[in-house]
Amino acid sequence: MPPFFWSNHFDLHIHYVGHASGDDHTTISGNLKAKDASVGFRDGDKLTAVASIGRDLENLKAELALERGEEFWSS
C-alpha cells in the first residue's frame, strides 16, 4: 500500500498519495487557484505520487493504481 496523508488548512484540503523525490517532475491537471486540481509526480515515465485539492475520488483512484503498479492520470 502506498503511503498517503491529508492535511486541512481552513478551507484547503490537500490529499497526497505515493512517494515522490526531489528529482521527480510534475504535471498539473485542473485549476490550482480554483482549488480543483491534481499534481502528478513522475520519475521518468513512472508515476510516483499524486497530490490533489478538491478531487477526492481522483486521489483514491490514484492510490489504487499506485498500489497495483498501474498507470494513472486523469485530466
Side-chain angles (χ1 to χ4, degrees):
M1 177 175 230
F4 67 92
F5 78 89
W6 59 92
S7 183
N8 296 322
H9 301 276
F10 300 99
D11 66 338
L12 181 65
H13 308 286
I14 303 168
H15 295 195
Y16 179 91
V17 61
H19 179 72
S21 73
D23 294 330
D24 287 1
H25 65 276
T26 59
T27 304
I28 299 172
S29 170
N31 186 329
L32 290 170
K33 288 184 180 182
K35 298 178 186 171
D36 178 27
S38 291
V39 180
F41 296 84
R42 291 186 175 278
D43 181 5
D45 289 336
K46 182 180 178 187
L47 184 70
T48 58
V50 174
S52 65
I53 53 175
R55 295 186 173 190
D56 297 348
L57 181 57
E58 183 174 298
N59 197 270
L60 290 170
K61 289 178 180 180
E63 180 179 3
L64 184 59
L66 286 167
E67 184 176 313
R68 293 178 174 171
E70 299 172 352
E71 183 55 38
F72 172 83
W73 189 248
S74 178
S75 55

